[in-house]
PDB file of all heavy atoms in Angstrom:
ATOM      1  N   HIS E 215      14.161 -49.986  -6.740  1.00  0.00           N
ATOM      2  CA  HIS E 215      14.753 -48.660  -6.900  1.00  0.00           C
ATOM      3  C   HIS E 215      15.830 -48.665  -7.985  1.00  0.00           C
ATOM      4  O   HIS E 215      15.838 -47.815  -8.874  1.00  0.00           O
ATOM      5  CB  HIS E 215      15.349 -48.198  -5.567  1.00  0.00           C
ATOM      6  CG  HIS E 215      16.237 -46.998  -5.688  1.00  0.00           C
ATOM      7  ND1 HIS E 215      15.801 -45.792  -6.182  1.00  0.00           N
ATOM      8  CD2 HIS E 215      17.551 -46.825  -5.399  1.00  0.00           C
ATOM      9  CE1 HIS E 215      16.802 -44.927  -6.187  1.00  0.00           C
ATOM     10  NE2 HIS E 215      17.868 -45.527  -5.722  1.00  0.00           N
ATOM     11  N   PHE E 218      15.176 -48.102 -11.632  1.00  0.00           N
ATOM     12  CA  PHE E 218      14.903 -46.752 -12.141  1.00  0.00           C
ATOM     13  C   PHE E 218      16.159 -46.125 -12.759  1.00  0.00           C
ATOM     14  O   PHE E 218      16.057 -45.256 -13.629  1.00  0.00           O
ATOM     15  CB  PHE E 218      14.335 -45.865 -11.023  1.00  0.00           C
ATOM     16  CG  PHE E 218      13.718 -44.585 -11.507  1.00  0.00           C
ATOM     17  CD1 PHE E 218      12.619 -44.590 -12.366  1.00  0.00           C
ATOM     18  CD2 PHE E 218      14.222 -43.352 -11.112  1.00  0.00           C
ATOM     19  CE1 PHE E 218      12.038 -43.411 -12.811  1.00  0.00           C
ATOM     20  CE2 PHE E 218      13.646 -42.160 -11.550  1.00  0.00           C
ATOM     21  CZ  PHE E 218      12.556 -42.190 -12.401  1.00  0.00           C
ATOM     22  N   THR E 222      17.316 -43.375 -15.674  1.00  0.00           N
ATOM     23  CA  THR E 222      18.017 -42.108 -15.435  1.00  0.00           C
ATOM     24  C   THR E 222      19.428 -42.094 -16.036  1.00  0.00           C
ATOM     25  O   THR E 222      19.896 -41.040 -16.467  1.00  0.00           O
ATOM     26  CB  THR E 222      18.113 -41.791 -13.932  1.00  0.00           C
ATOM     27  OG1 THR E 222      18.770 -42.860 -13.256  1.00  0.00           O
ATOM     28  CG2 THR E 222      16.734 -41.599 -13.337  1.00  0.00           C
TER      29      THR E 222
ATOM     30  N   ALA U 116      13.384 -32.015 -10.100  1.00  0.00           N
ATOM     31  CA  ALA U 116      14.440 -32.124  -9.094  1.00  0.00           C
ATOM     32  C   ALA U 116      15.277 -33.358  -9.394  1.00  0.00           C
ATOM     33  O   ALA U 116      14.769 -34.359  -9.883  1.00  0.00           O
ATOM     34  CB  ALA U 116      13.821 -32.237  -7.701  1.00  0.00           C
ATOM     35  N   SER U 117      16.573 -33.266  -9.116  1.00  0.00           N
ATOM     36  CA  SER U 117      17.426 -34.439  -9.301  1.00  0.00           C
ATOM     37  C   SER U 117      18.328 -34.620  -8.092  1.00  0.00           C
ATOM     38  O   SER U 117      18.616 -33.678  -7.354  1.00  0.00           O
ATOM     39  CB  SER U 117      18.280 -34.309 -10.569  1.00  0.00           C
ATOM     40  OG  SER U 117      19.249 -33.307 -10.408  1.00  0.00           O
ATOM     41  N   THR U 118      18.742 -35.848  -7.893  1.00  0.00           N
ATOM     42  CA  THR U 118      19.700 -36.170  -6.842  1.00  0.00           C
ATOM     43  C   THR U 118      20.604 -37.277  -7.372  1.00  0.00           C
ATOM     44  O   THR U 118      20.318 -37.859  -8.423  1.00  0.00           O
ATOM     45  CB  THR U 118      18.982 -36.586  -5.538  1.00  0.00           C
ATOM     46  OG1 THR U 118      19.950 -36.773  -4.502  1.00  0.00           O
ATOM     47  CG2 THR U 118      18.210 -37.883  -5.723  1.00  0.00           C
ATOM     48  N   HIS U 120      22.792 -40.793  -6.334  1.00  0.00           N
ATOM     49  CA  HIS U 120      23.185 -41.833  -5.377  1.00  0.00           C
ATOM     50  C   HIS U 120      24.328 -42.638  -5.958  1.00  0.00           C
ATOM     51  O   HIS U 120      24.703 -42.446  -7.117  1.00  0.00           O
ATOM     52  CB  HIS U 120      21.997 -42.748  -5.079  1.00  0.00           C
ATOM     53  CG  HIS U 120      20.815 -42.030  -4.509  1.00  0.00           C
ATOM     54  ND1 HIS U 120      19.549 -42.161  -5.023  1.00  0.00           N
ATOM     55  CD2 HIS U 120      20.715 -41.161  -3.479  1.00  0.00           C
ATOM     56  CE1 HIS U 120      18.711 -41.398  -4.327  1.00  0.00           C
ATOM     57  NE2 HIS U 120      19.393 -40.785  -3.387  1.00  0.00           N
ATOM     58  N   GLY U 123      23.334 -44.314  -9.250  1.00  0.00           N
ATOM     59  CA  GLY U 123      22.942 -43.518 -10.400  1.00  0.00           C
ATOM     60  C   GLY U 123      22.079 -42.347  -9.989  1.00  0.00           C
ATOM     61  O   GLY U 123      21.764 -42.173  -8.816  1.00  0.00           O
ATOM     62  N   PRO U 124      21.698 -41.523 -10.969  1.00  0.00           N
ATOM     63  CA  PRO U 124      20.888 -40.339 -10.662  1.00  0.00           C
ATOM     64  C   PRO U 124      19.432 -40.719 -10.387  1.00  0.00           C
ATOM     65  O   PRO U 124      18.980 -41.800 -10.753  1.00  0.00           O
ATOM     66  CB  PRO U 124      20.973 -39.513 -11.953  1.00  0.00           C
ATOM     67  CG  PRO U 124      21.803 -40.282 -12.919  1.00  0.00           C
ATOM     68  CD  PRO U 124      22.000 -41.659 -12.395  1.00  0.00           C
ATOM     69  N   ASP U 125      18.721 -39.804  -9.749  1.00  0.00           N
ATOM     70  CA  ASP U 125      17.286 -39.972  -9.562  1.00  0.00           C
ATOM     71  C   ASP U 125      16.616 -38.641  -9.897  1.00  0.00           C
ATOM     72  O   ASP U 125      17.235 -37.579  -9.753  1.00  0.00           O
ATOM     73  CB  ASP U 125      16.967 -40.402  -8.129  1.00  0.00           C
ATOM     74  CG  ASP U 125      15.739 -41.291  -8.070  1.00  0.00           C
ATOM     75  OD1 ASP U 125      14.768 -41.020  -8.813  1.00  0.00           O
ATOM     76  OD2 ASP U 125      15.745 -42.239  -7.273  1.00  0.00           O
ATOM     77  N   VAL U 126      15.400 -38.707 -10.376  1.00  0.00           N
ATOM     78  CA  VAL U 126      14.707 -37.494 -10.835  1.00  0.00           C
ATOM     79  C   VAL U 126      13.234 -37.529 -10.430  1.00  0.00           C
ATOM     80  O   VAL U 126      12.667 -38.597 -10.208  1.00  0.00           O
ATOM     81  CB  VAL U 126      14.792 -37.354 -12.383  1.00  0.00           C
ATOM     82  CG1 VAL U 126      16.228 -37.115 -12.831  1.00  0.00           C
ATOM     83  CG2 VAL U 126      14.212 -38.575 -13.085  1.00  0.00           C
ATOM     84  N   PHE U 167      15.798 -38.023  -2.211  1.00  0.00           N
ATOM     85  CA  PHE U 167      14.649 -38.860  -2.562  1.00  0.00           C
ATOM     86  C   PHE U 167      15.102 -40.049  -3.400  1.00  0.00           C
ATOM     87  O   PHE U 167      16.202 -40.051  -3.966  1.00  0.00           O
ATOM     88  CB  PHE U 167      13.582 -38.038  -3.312  1.00  0.00           C
ATOM     89  CG  PHE U 167      14.039 -37.517  -4.644  1.00  0.00           C
ATOM     90  CD1 PHE U 167      13.815 -38.245  -5.797  1.00  0.00           C
ATOM     91  CD2 PHE U 167      14.687 -36.301  -4.741  1.00  0.00           C
ATOM     92  CE1 PHE U 167      14.240 -37.770  -7.031  1.00  0.00           C
ATOM     93  CE2 PHE U 167      15.113 -35.812  -5.969  1.00  0.00           C
ATOM     94  CZ  PHE U 167      14.891 -36.550  -7.115  1.00  0.00           C
ATOM     95  N   SER U 168      14.244 -41.068  -3.434  1.00  0.00           N
ATOM     96  CA  SER U 168      14.510 -42.265  -4.239  1.00  0.00           C
ATOM     97  C   SER U 168      13.227 -42.705  -4.916  1.00  0.00           C
ATOM     98  O   SER U 168      12.155 -42.631  -4.323  1.00  0.00           O
ATOM     99  CB  SER U 168      14.994 -43.425  -3.362  1.00  0.00           C
ATOM    100  OG  SER U 168      16.253 -43.161  -2.808  1.00  0.00           O
ATOM    101  N   THR U 169      13.375 -43.184  -6.133  1.00  0.00           N
ATOM    102  CA  THR U 169      12.227 -43.661  -6.902  1.00  0.00           C
ATOM    103  C   THR U 169      12.197 -45.189  -6.896  1.00  0.00           C
ATOM    104  O   THR U 169      13.241 -45.837  -7.005  1.00  0.00           O
ATOM    105  CB  THR U 169      12.334 -43.166  -8.357  1.00  0.00           C
ATOM    106  OG1 THR U 169      12.371 -41.741  -8.339  1.00  0.00           O
ATOM    107  CG2 THR U 169      11.152 -43.647  -9.187  1.00  0.00           C
TER     108      THR U 169
END
Side-chain angles (χ1 to χ4, degrees):
Chain E
H215 167 60
F218 194 61
T222 57
Chain U
S117 69
T118 185
H120 301 129
D125 212 321
V126 294
F167 64 92
S168 293
T169 301

